[in-house]
Amino acid sequence: MTDRELDLAYEDTYRDLHRPAVIIGGCFAVVSVVLSLFLTLQHLRSYTNPTEQKWIVAVVFMVPVYATESIISLWNPRLSLACDILRNCYEAFALYSFGSYLIACLGGERRVVELLENESQKRLGKPLLEREEEEEEEEELVHQRSFSNFFCRPFLIGKDLLTIEKFGLVQYMILKTFCAFLALLLEVFSVYGDGEFKWYYGYPYITVVINFSQMWALYCLVQFYDVTHERLKPIKPLAKFISFKAIVFATWWQGVGIALLCAFRVLPKEGKLQTALQDFLICIEMSIAAVAHIFVFSAEPYRFLPVPEYGEVTTETTKAGLKVVEDDKEKPAVLEKTETQVEAPGTSIKESVQDIVVEGGQRVMEDVVLTINQAMGPMEKGVTKIQETFHKKTDSDSNHEESELEIEEHVEHLSANDMHP
């Protein structure tokens, strides 16, 4: 068959499968949206720990965002690029939110710094207060803060691990958003080439940049989790980490894999078929993720307050029958266990949403500004060093020229004296 006949055959296949795919994908999308919104409302009604729950809501909301944009893109392929941009932007924000959630579960940044420093000193086996000489202390700190330890022994770098982890997450959020809008700009000029691995299109270059940025962000998160997982045991972090990482990592590589299969002609190299397949699979995957989130990010732990100040007090008594042997005789006995919990009062959804948007937005902006400043710092130092080197070079050249001039003048003066004895 000629290329023209193949294109027509693929077009007919797409037309035949499009309506059933939209219906099936729509059903999965509805399930994921309903379950995620139900879980979100539970957290908003039991909003007793804002420092943690604001980030949980942001992570959970990733599922309806993905599902909604995927079904819209599947229904109308002309909106696929716009939906993909919004999906990518929220994915980057969700990854940042998950990292912030882990920090909040550890007690906030100040507490995390203390934990990391204590862990560093414990692994070194030498408490900071027992160090006698200041010079030895500074030398050891310089050695343990070396960047290479982040890859081999992250527990040694102390509070710097938190800085690297936050920088890794925020750089991905910035780069992902920038590349998303850059892709839109390139598409306007017809040089983006979605799914085309050709040097004159922008898609392969943007893919490489985003892939490196995402891998670095996930690696920073893994290193941070590796050091703090013992402290995070009460929240069962492994299940949360796997469920979230599966969404971010799998969907991205799934898109790249489909593009590669199309590039090698394993799948039809038809733009609409390629994006439609990705959107259809995401709709199914998000329904699975929504079910997992119901159990992994449950709002049940936040329904009860740690201190009996507010809310309704509930008492649960458990009785169990058993037999006690005394003087070779069995006597019946009853074991009674009473648990008292304080049920948190329902909070206003409006106030909860306001806290998430306002407080969460301020936190994001602060971290973005801090990350930009951290990135600009080495650049400014580099420019300053270049300027200093250039200035020294200029001064040395001018001094060299002045010395040569003085030598010439001295030689001329001696010559004049020889001619007039």
Side-chain angles (χ1 to χ4, degrees):
M1 295 179 66
T2 63
D3 291 342
R4 177 62 178 170
E5 290 174 342
L6 283 173
D7 291 340
L8 290 175
Y10 293 150
E11 187 68 28
D12 292 338
T13 303
Y14 174 80
R15 197 179 300 111
D16 294 338
L17 296 178
H18 182 254
R19 185 180 294 274
V22 171
I23 294 173
I24 297 172
C27 293
F28 280 105
V30 169
V31 170
S32 60
V33 169
V34 170
L35 291 178
S36 297
L37 290 181
F38 172 74
L39 179 59
T40 301
L41 288 174
Q42 282 188 321
H43 277 284
L44 295 179
R45 287 295 298 165
S46 302
Y47 200 63
T48 57
N49 192 341
T51 55
E52 294 180 14
Q53 287 179 279
K54 65 162 63 76
W55 304 118
I56 292 179
V57 170
V59 172
V60 169
F61 206 69
M62 182 181 182
V63 170
V65 168
Y66 265 50
T68 303
E69 292 172 355
S70 295
I71 193 61
I72 291 175
S73 175
L74 182 61
W75 169 64
N76 189 349
R78 288 178 295 181
L79 300 175
S80 61
L81 183 61
C83 290
D84 190 52
I85 289 173
L86 294 175
R87 186 166 59 215
N88 289 339
C89 292
Y90 197 86
E91 175 198 311
F93 172 68
L95 184 60
Y96 165 84
S97 299
F98 186 76
S100 299
Y101 166 67
L102 296 181
I103 293 174
C105 290
L106 291 168
E109 291 188 9
R110 183 175 299 179
R111 178 60 179 158
V112 171
V113 169
E114 294 176 0
L115 292 174
L116 294 177
E117 287 295 309
N118 291 337
E119 182 70 16
S120 174
Q121 302 307 325
K122 183 174 69 174
R123 293 298 183 96
L124 287 171
K126 204 173 184 182
L128 185 63
L129 295 177
E130 294 181 3
R131 296 181 184 174
E132 299 176 354
E133 299 181 4
E134 186 176 351
E135 294 181 359
E136 293 181 0
E137 176 184 335
E138 291 179 357
E139 184 179 350
E140 185 172 357
L141 284 173
V142 169
H143 175 70
Q144 78 179 68
R145 306 291 184 188
S146 63
F147 188 70
S148 61
N149 280 335
F150 174 71
F151 298 95
C152 305
R153 298 179 295 175
F155 48 82
L156 288 183
I157 64 176
K159 63 181 180 181
D160 291 338
L161 178 62
L162 176 62
T163 303
I164 296 174
E165 185 257 357
K166 289 182 65 177
F167 183 86
L169 297 180
V170 177
Q171 63 82 23
Y172 176 63
M173 184 168 59
I174 295 173
L175 273 178
K176 187 83 170 182
T177 305
F178 173 77
C179 288
F181 285 101
L182 179 60
L184 179 62
L185 180 63
L186 294 177
E187 183 66 21
V188 171
F189 293 98
S190 302
V191 291
Y192 178 57
D194 189 16
E196 298 286 342
F197 288 90
K198 297 178 180 178
W199 68 269
Y200 49 83
Y201 283 132
Y203 174 79
Y205 305 106
I206 291 178
T207 299
V208 170
V209 172
I210 293 179
N211 181 44
F212 177 79
S213 177
Q214 184 190 70
M215 293 292 289
W216 176 247
L218 288 173
Y219 184 77
C220 291
L221 198 59
V222 169
Q223 293 294 77
F224 181 78
Y225 168 78
D226 182 49
V227 176
T228 60
H229 70 278
E230 291 293 334
R231 300 278 184 172
L232 291 169
K233 273 187 177 179
I235 67 168
K236 299 178 180 178
L238 185 59
K240 292 178 171 62
F241 191 82
I242 292 175
S243 64
F244 176 77
K245 188 177 179 181
I247 297 176
V248 175
F249 197 74
T251 53
W252 164 253
W253 278 106
Q254 178 178 275
V256 175
I258 291 173
L260 288 173
L261 290 176
C262 291
F264 289 105
R265 298 289 183 175
V266 178
L267 293 176
K269 196 174 182 180
E270 173 64 34
K272 289 191 294 186
L273 277 172
Q274 179 178 327
T275 56
L277 179 59
Q278 168 76 337
D279 293 329
F280 179 71
L281 291 176
I282 288 178
C283 289
I284 298 175
E285 292 159 356
M286 288 307 104
S287 63
I288 300 173
V291 175
H293 282 179
I294 292 291
F295 300 97
V296 174
F297 293 103
S298 173
E300 191 67 22
Y302 301 99
R303 289 184 58 240
F304 301 98
L305 295 174
V307 181
E309 294 180 356
Y310 304 98
E312 179 183 349
V313 179
T314 58
T315 302
E316 181 180 352
T317 302
T318 304
K319 294 183 180 180
L322 56 104
K323 294 182 179 180
V324 178
V325 179
E326 184 177 345
D327 298 330
D328 297 331
K329 295 182 180 180
E330 291 187 354
K331 296 182 179 180
V334 177
L335 179 64
E336 184 174 310
K337 180 182 179 182
T338 302
E339 292 183 356
T340 303
Q341 293 176 316
V342 183
E343 187 172 355
T347 54
S348 169
I349 295 179
K350 181 180 178 181
E351 294 176 355
S352 303
V353 172
Q354 184 177 358
D355 178 76
I356 292 172
V357 175
V358 177
E359 297 295 331
Q362 289 178 353
R363 174 72 177 277
V364 172
M365 291 304 299
E366 289 174 0
D367 284 344
V368 168
V369 172
L370 178 62
T371 301
I372 293 175
N373 290 335
Q374 288 175 341
M376 293 297 293
M379 294 178 62
E380 291 177 355
K381 290 180 180 178
V383 172
T384 303
K385 190 172 182 179
I386 292 173
Q387 289 177 343
E388 290 177 353
T389 304
F390 181 76
H391 183 67
K392 290 179 180 178
K393 179 67 176 175
T394 305
D395 289 344
S396 62
D397 291 342
S398 61
N399 292 335
H400 183 65
E401 290 176 359
E402 289 177 0
S403 61
E404 288 183 350
L405 183 61
E406 291 177 357
I407 292 172
E408 290 178 358
E409 290 178 352
H410 183 65
V411 170
E412 290 177 357
H413 182 70
L414 291 176
S415 301
N417 291 336
D418 291 340
M419 292 176 65
H420 300 85

